[in-house]
Amino acid sequence: CITQIPQQNIPFINKGNDFSVREIVFAIVELEKSGIYDKETTQRWRDAMALIVPEKCYSVIAPTPPTAVNNWGAFNAVSEQARKWASIADTTPYIENQIESQLLSFDEAGMYRDPNEPMVYDLVTRNLMAAMLYLGYEGRWKQRLESILESVADKEFLMQSVNGELPYGGRSNSFIHNEAHMAICFEYIASARKKRGDTVGASKAKAAANLALENIKLWLRQNPDHHIKNYYPIESKIGCEKYAYYDKYMVTVASFLYLAYLFCDDSIEPSNCPASDTSAYSWTTTGHFHKLFLKADSYFVEMDWNADPHYDASGIGRIQRRDAPSAICLSLPVSKKPSYSTGKENPTGLSICAGIKIDGKWAFALDKDAIYSIPTHHAASDNAHAKWECSIAQEHTIRQQCRVSSNGISISACSNAETAIMIPVFQFDGANRTKTSHSEKEISVVYRGWICRYTTNGKFEDIGQTCVNRNGEYQVFHAANDKSVEVKVTIDRLE
């Protein structure tokens, strides 16, 4: 790699250098620390890496003056800052231009807008900016980067699920490298807050980092281990985009855990964080990311009011209870035509959303044809609540509410016609089948020592369809009633 990367016009060599140079620099530095190789060898590597010309080496290069380019521009900016940090080369003007191009894509809350706003790449790019600071960046954008990272820090706590997971939404989601990104974020926050004397904030961030790491370890302990959160055979690639194969994304886990390790300060003692305590809160992102988060005690809800149909569906896409298997209710929605492999065609999208019967047929608020209002929300000491409206077919309005407490979750919908709530019933994780039962008033799902129960004031109906998302297979039910329907969800450990 060291010999080939600086060379030009070699087919396929330049593709991916944006990522690789940073890794190689870190490897050289670590090998120098270890003393495994003699100084002559490591200096030869350094001399080869010094031959890199950024404009010829990388794939995504911002013009001058800069315009917004995608997150690969942030990756290669870090690669160049790593060369500078390791005293290999100094390309400061290039670094400054690349960073300025990235600053054009942060929204007013400090979240990074990669195309279609995938949740993974918001966090990835912010973490790369944190890496710039760790690697000694002192350029003209330093204060702006510090301001962005601090402005979004407390919001990051509210997006982490009670099982330590990164929010669903968009590409590269539901892989175990997602939580490596969360670990980086919280280790950075912990160290930054400790440095300015905020020991309470540092301890809270350390707890959040540990929670993310526990989620990763859960999957690495499996035999065989998995890079995506299901139990299908690795070679099936169920849940994976074409680029998201096992070898690549396990390297990604290691790569980003190494970055978390660089930020880590083990002298910080963890306390509790919002995802691990009994607090209640509610929060929405900006409209660019269109996400609502509700949490009370051990229950957590994530809702998307304008989902990317290539990956998700609008409505409530995540209900989790702390320590329960994330997929037992729903951990991410189902796209009807997902941009990842499912092994079969999905007959419909699927989320916990409302629908209305029009001319004898159900229409659900799943996709771009459904126009959601921005949810209003509030939290008290022991519960969180939100409500919103949705227009279907431009003339039918459904009013919806969701309430989260220590007793579970209540979801209701009403309109001027027959109304229903779509319900996912977990069937299969790729290796294990759940035990399910249902009646007109109750559905139960038993899985890995836990039971998820749905109850309704309407009537549950199995509509005879199954769908697959990244986590597994779900059976589609409707809870229907005349004009108004409510569904309650509880998740409990089996006695």
Side-chain angles (χ1 to χ4, degrees):
C1 287
I2 288 170
T3 302
Q4 290 182 339
I5 281 177
Q7 300 182 49
Q8 310 307 320
N9 303 318
I10 301 177
F12 306 113
I13 292 297
N14 284 14
K15 199 70 172 175
N17 286 349
D18 308 71
F19 307 89
S20 304
V21 170
R22 167 180 63 108
E23 306 286 13
I24 293 168
V25 171
F26 285 149
I28 292 172
V29 170
E30 292 293 345
L31 289 168
E32 287 174 334
K33 287 180 185 176
S34 71
I36 293 173
Y37 292 92
D38 59 72
K39 211 164 190 178
E40 182 182 350
T41 300
T42 57
Q43 187 60 48
R44 188 170 70 250
W45 294 342
R46 284 176 165 270
D47 292 343
M49 293 299 281
L51 298 176
I52 288 172
V53 177
E55 292 81 1
K56 296 180 179 179
C57 179
Y58 301 123
S59 301
V60 178
I61 300 167
T64 305
T67 57
V69 298
N70 68 31
N71 69 78
W72 283 35
F75 276 98
N76 67 56
V78 174
S79 283
E80 286 306 291
Q81 185 65 29
R83 288 207 302 153
K84 183 177 180 179
W85 167 74
S87 301
I88 292 172
D90 185 348
T91 57
T92 294
Y94 177 86
I95 293 169
E96 296 284 21
N97 201 61
Q98 291 293 100
I99 292 177
E100 187 175 0
S101 77
Q102 295 300 297
L103 292 174
L104 299 172
S105 295
F106 286 94
D107 74 2
E108 54 268 38
M111 294 176 68
Y112 183 83
R113 297 187 61 197
D114 215 46
N116 299 313
E117 286 80 28
M119 298 302 294
V120 170
Y121 293 98
D122 157 50
L123 203 54
V124 167
T125 314
R126 284 193 278 119
N127 287 340
L128 291 171
M129 296 300 101
M132 293 293 300
L133 298 172
Y134 174 86
L135 294 170
Y137 174 72
E138 294 285 347
R140 69 178 183 270
W141 305 113
K142 180 182 177 181
Q143 289 185 341
R144 176 80 183 280
L145 293 180
E146 290 175 334
S147 175
I148 288 171
L149 294 172
E150 180 57 34
S151 71
V152 78
D154 286 325
K155 302 176 182 72
E156 194 64 44
F157 289 108
L158 308 183
M159 292 189 277
Q160 184 180 35
S161 83
V162 289
N163 284 335
E165 294 182 1
L166 180 137
Y168 74 81
R171 61 193 175 91
S172 301
N173 203 273
S174 206
F175 295 90
I176 67 172
H177 70 69
N178 291 182
E179 281 60 55
H181 305 316
M182 294 213 93
I184 294 168
C185 173
F186 290 123
E187 292 288 8
Y188 169 81
I189 294 170
S191 295
R193 291 188 171 180
K194 180 190 173 184
K195 287 175 184 175
R196 67 168 189 261
D198 180 5
T199 56
V200 173
S203 294
K204 183 170 80 167
K206 177 64 79 171
N210 287 349
L211 194 62
L213 292 170
E214 285 302 315
N215 190 278
I216 295 173
K217 286 191 275 188
L218 173 72
W219 293 96
L220 291 180
R221 290 189 187 110
Q222 306 300 319
N223 187 17
D225 56 21
H226 292 266
H227 72 305
I228 187 168
K229 297 174 184 178
N230 65 49
Y231 296 92
Y232 290 94
I234 292 167
E235 60 272 15
S236 75
K237 298 184 180 178
I238 298 297
C240 301
E241 293 94 336
K242 290 180 180 179
Y243 56 80
Y245 46 91
Y246 174 88
D247 308 54
K248 176 179 178 179
Y249 266 177
M250 288 301 264
V251 169
T252 303
V253 177
S255 168
F256 283 101
L257 285 178
Y258 174 77
L259 201 54
Y261 156 79
L262 290 180
F263 291 168
C264 179
D265 181 345
D266 280 332
S267 70
I268 301 170
E269 289 293 328
S271 56
N272 278 317
C273 60
S276 65
D277 65 20
T278 60
S279 65
Y281 62 78
S282 63
W283 183 66
T284 56
T285 64
T286 66
H288 299 303
F289 288 88
H290 34 81
K291 289 296 187 81
L292 162 74
F293 300 91
L294 302 172
K295 186 255 182 182
D297 198 358
S298 60
Y299 282 99
F300 181 86
V301 169
E302 180 181 344
M303 178 259 190
D304 191 326
W305 68 82
N306 189 23
D308 179 354
H310 299 100
Y311 291 95
D312 303 298
S314 296
I316 294 172
R318 172 169 290 176
I319 290 179
Q320 290 184 7
R321 184 170 186 182
R322 187 179 301 121
D323 298 328
S326 294
I328 192 171
C329 176
L330 191 65
S331 197
L332 71 157
V334 175
S335 166
K336 184 176 181 180
K337 295 182 178 180
S339 295
Y340 57 81
S341 175
T342 58
K344 57 174 280 186
E345 288 190 8
N346 285 331
T348 179
L350 175 62
S351 69
I352 302 173
C353 69
I356 190 170
K357 191 167 274 189
I358 303 172
D359 298 328
K361 294 183 179 180
W362 286 109
F364 283 90
L366 289 165
D367 53 32
K368 299 295 184 182
D369 292 332
I371 308 301
Y372 281 77
S373 65
I374 298 174
T376 58
H377 56 93
H378 70 270
S381 61
D382 62 351
N383 71 86
H385 179 268
K387 57 184 178 180
W388 60 91
E389 292 186 352
C390 183
S391 298
I392 298 178
Q394 298 183 342
E395 56 187 51
H396 301 278
T397 299
I398 307 173
R399 296 179 298 280
Q400 299 166 75
Q401 296 190 59
C402 178
R403 184 177 185 274
V404 185
S405 73
S406 60
N407 296 319
I409 293 156
S410 171
I411 303 156
S412 62
C414 62
S415 72
N416 60 2
E418 191 174 356
T419 306
I421 295 173
M422 184 175 272
I423 299 296
V425 177
F426 192 37
Q427 297 284 303
F428 184 56
D429 66 8
N432 310 287
R433 292 211 167 268
T434 64
K435 182 180 179 181
T436 65
S437 62
H438 71 273
S439 65
E440 288 188 359
K441 295 295 183 181
E442 182 172 326
I443 301 171
S444 67
V445 179
V446 176
Y447 179 62
R448 293 183 173 265
W450 290 78
I451 182 167
C452 177
R453 292 186 180 92
Y454 304 89
T455 57
T456 185
N457 64 349
K459 177 181 176 181
F460 285 120
E461 179 185 2
D462 178 359
I463 65 167
Q465 294 179 335
T466 58
C467 300
V468 178
N469 66 8
R470 296 189 196 263
N471 300 144
E473 185 175 299
Y474 289 81
Q475 192 172 355
V476 184
F477 277 72
H478 294 168
N481 205 12
D482 184 35
K483 296 185 179 180
S484 178
V485 63
E486 181 180 21
V487 173
K488 294 182 179 179
V489 185
T490 59
I491 304 172
D492 297 292
R493 197 185 296 274
L494 286 174
E495 297 295 334

